[in-house]
Amino acid sequence: MNRFDYVRAGTVAEAVQAFGAGARFIAGGTNLIDLMKYEVEKPGRLIDITRLPLDRIEDSGDGLRIGALVTNAKAAYDDRVAARYPLLRNAILAGASAQLRNAASTGGNLLQRTRCYYFYDVATPCNKRAPGSGCPAIGGMNRIHAIFGTSAHCIATHPSDMCIALAALEATVRVSGPQGDRSIPFSEFHRLPGDSPERDTNLAPGEIIVSVDLPESRFPQHYTYLKLRDRLSYAFALVSVAAALELDGDRVKTARLALGGVAHKPWRNREAEALLEGKPATRESFQAAADLIVAEAKPQSENGFKIDLARRAIVRGLEQAAAGTPQSLSDKRIQ
């Protein structure tokens, strides 16, 4: 591990002021420390933000504000999150282990990096780790990689479960930086790889996440977070589905749908959501939406199975949401 400076900030302003080239903010460190051990990340300065007053969950009008330093466990077991945003609770509990959720922070969850094998192996090229060096995942070992939104430079996937639910719930990310404060819609926070896969988010240099703001709760009854993975315990998603519906009788009034494990960012298709609205909440309607979503999928050499897996997961997730029978956290069988 390389030598680095260590700074402990007492306020958000101090943290922003301490930032410079090669610096990284650190809170739970559940991803950053791993990356430093693998020598993927070599920060020249670590800015400890664990003493900032960002560890509260607060009501904000009709919504809820989750501070950036709220741990994943605290968010999952907060009574307001459980009652008003059960989709978010279930997504958090589907990720990582209890030990990691006790340490991992809300802000850090948004910033965790891909689990692409080549990204973690510094002996191989990787455009995300070393821009311009190449992407051996293309044509290589790519079973876990993306089928949507890829580029000729990167096919890595976004790893978070929590972020898939936040995308479906249309959260907003509040940040503070050298140019002041601003709010970023969740759909614009993460990036597709394009020509600059080394950038995962649209954060400007020195900007720090302050909170994640949830809008008015609209989906406490009809939701599910369905996560399909290679083993039932601790594993990242091959495909995950966050589905949330408002029903008017037996018809869909509002539909929100986000996929994980399939793209460089939480993947939404608003045409498919619009297709569902006003339609009967039936398997036929859900299959039509699933077909529309996977129509633009582009498989790699080893992950073509993800297309049919995603299609079936979307239908199953929407059926669970419509029936008000979300995926059980203990019964994770794939049928």
Side-chain angles (χ1 to χ4, degrees), residues 278-303:
K279 298 292 194 309
T282 61
R283 185 175 183 85
E284 289 71 26
S285 299
F286 301 153
Q287 286 177 329
D291 289 342
L292 177 60
I293 292 171
V294 302
E296 59 179 314
K298 294 181 179 177
Q300 302 297 318
S301 56
E302 296 183 350
N303 70 354

Side-chain angles (χ1 to χ4, degrees), residues 89-291:
R89 174 183 184 274
N90 282 17
I92 294 173
L93 293 179
S97 64
Q99 293 86 350
L100 286 169
R101 292 194 294 269
N102 284 335
S105 66
T106 295
N109 199 309
L110 271 60
L111 299 177
Q112 62 179 306
R113 309 205 69 187
T114 182
R115 265 58 182 182
C116 175
Y117 322 118
Y118 301 99
F119 176 70
Y120 276 80
D121 183 357
V122 296
T124 67
C126 172
N127 286 325
K128 177 176 283 296
R129 174 171 33 78
S133 61
C135 178
I138 298 175
M141 296 172 60
N142 52 44
R143 180 175 177 274
I144 67 170
H145 288 72
I147 56 174
F148 295 112
T150 58
S151 76
H153 304 286
C154 183
I155 58 172
T157 54
H158 178 77
S160 169
D161 293 293
M162 181 180 186
C163 288
I164 310 308
L166 291 173
L169 294 170
E170 299 192 319
T172 299
V173 186
R174 285 201 313 136
V175 305
S176 184
Q179 305 305 314
D181 302 337
R182 66 183 178 123
S183 295
I184 307 173
F186 207 83
S187 60
E188 299 173 14
F189 183 78
H190 295 101
R191 296 165 52 93
L192 290 177
D195 295 332
S196 53
E198 72 276 12
R199 294 186 60 195
D200 292 330
T201 73
N202 283 314
L203 283 175
E207 283 189 324
I208 184 173
I209 298 172
V210 175
S211 71
V212 173
D213 294 357
L214 291 163
E216 178 184 3
S217 171
R218 300 167 63 189
F219 311 104
Q221 302 297 325
H222 297 286
Y223 70 92
T224 198
Y225 185 70
L226 175 60
K227 179 177 180 179
L228 305 182
R229 43 191 153 177
D230 282 325
R231 60 178 185 271
L232 297 185
S233 59
Y234 179 25
F236 294 96
L238 290 170
V239 173
S240 66
V241 177
L245 299 174
E246 274 188 301
L247 299 182
D248 183 4
D250 61 355
R251 291 184 176 272
V252 176
K253 180 180 179 182
T254 308
R256 296 287 182 268
L257 194 61
L259 305 185
V262 295
H264 201 257
K265 60 183 288 185
W267 188 257
R268 285 185 64 186
N269 183 317
R270 287 174 173 75
E271 289 184 28
E273 294 174 350
L275 180 68
L276 285 169
E277 293 176 1
K279 298 292 194 309
T282 61
R283 185 175 183 85
E284 289 71 26
S285 299
F286 301 153
Q287 286 177 329
D291 289 342

